[in-house]
Amino acid sequence: MPESFRTVAERAEASFEVSGSEFISYVSPADTVESAEAVIEEVEAEHPEATHVVPAYRVPAGTASADQPGSVMLREWSSDDGEPSGSAGDPALNVLVQQELRNVVAAVVRYYGGTNLGVGGLARAYSRAVKEAVDAAGVVEDVPHERFEAIVEYDDSGTVRGILESEGVEFDASYEAAVEFVVRVPVAEASALRERLRNATSGRVEIEPQ
């Protein structure tokens, strides 16, 4: 069985002011580099007038699978986004490291208030921002997950949805020309779920990795 790890329970945010500068911090679970960067892009789009948007994440560098649940390296990344070197990105990332959180992304928005905080003041503010967002989100134990897409015709969509609901896995459904289910499932349970879907649809389901 893949080892469990600590991560945030849900997406959350926190905010406060320091010497006139407003800090708004966000954290979110993220299973991949792509999903982490998508969260950062969303925050940047929500705050186009922000002075800085400082990101940090610890996520798998690749995709876990049943064949290699423990072989995916962890990618740690952050950016100062124009703040003095070492004053923002590293302090934000260090909170995630110190709390042993992974599969998580953080983004801290700063609106400059007219007073320079100095490297030490900035480091304290960015650390505080991530800590408060993590506190708001809550921390849980999780296990590695993988994603796949199950594509079926409408006649089989009720069967597939019923199986996914009965298994209690996370999924999003899109009803277009065909029905597409994007499924997030623990690595240890993924192979059995895919086989159940194939059997229930007599092989008509098309399954693709995400």
Side-chain angles (χ1 to χ4, degrees):
M1 287 288 292
E3 292 185 4
S4 63
F5 56 85
R6 287 163 51 87
T7 190
V8 292
E10 60 185 359
R11 184 165 178 164
E13 65 181 86
S15 63
F16 56 87
E17 287 191 10
V18 178
S19 299
S21 282
E22 182 181 10
F23 291 84
I24 308 169
S25 53
Y26 300 83
V27 296
S28 176
D31 291 330
T32 64
V33 171
E34 291 76 16
S35 61
E37 291 180 346
V39 171
I40 295 165
E41 290 174 1
E42 288 175 15
V43 172
E44 290 174 337
E46 290 172 10
H47 297 275
E49 303 301 320
T51 316
H52 306 279
V53 178
V54 170
Y57 59 69
R58 303 183 79 218
V59 297
T63 303
S65 70
D67 296 330
Q68 50 178 20
S71 63
V72 180
M73 293 183 64
L74 194 65
R75 182 179 180 190
E76 297 182 344
W77 179 82
S78 66
S79 169
D80 292 314
D81 191 40
E83 294 281 31
S85 179
S87 69
D90 285 347
L93 179 60
N94 285 342
V95 174
L96 306 181
V97 174
Q98 290 166 359
Q99 296 201 24
E100 299 181 338
L101 301 174
R102 53 168 289 175
N103 291 50
V104 60
V105 56
V108 183
V109 175
R110 181 190 181 194
Y111 289 93
Y112 181 62
T115 300
N116 292 332
L117 301 181
V119 172
L122 288 170
R124 288 189 292 273
Y126 281 102
S127 294
R128 174 186 169 186
V130 176
K131 287 176 183 175
E132 291 191 4
V134 168
D135 288 344
V139 174
V140 294
E141 289 282 331
D142 203 352
V143 295
H145 282 66
E146 64 176 279
R147 293 177 185 269
F148 65 83
E149 191 173 36
I151 305 169
V152 290
E153 298 299 325
Y154 276 76
D155 287 348
D156 288 316
S157 63
T159 298
V160 170
R161 176 179 280 275
I163 290 172
L164 297 177
E165 290 176 345
S166 70
E167 293 286 344
V169 298
E170 300 173 40
F171 69 90
D172 291 315
S174 174
Y175 291 81
E176 304 293 341
V179 184
E180 302 176 0
F181 296 91
V182 178
V183 183
R184 180 177 184 266
V185 58
V187 167
E189 302 170 15
S191 293
L193 178 58
R194 285 192 288 266
E195 188 64 22
R196 185 178 174 190
L197 293 175
R198 291 189 184 101
N199 290 340
T201 61
S202 299
R204 291 185 295 274
V205 64
E206 180 182 347
I207 295 178
E208 299 178 354
Q210 279 277 294

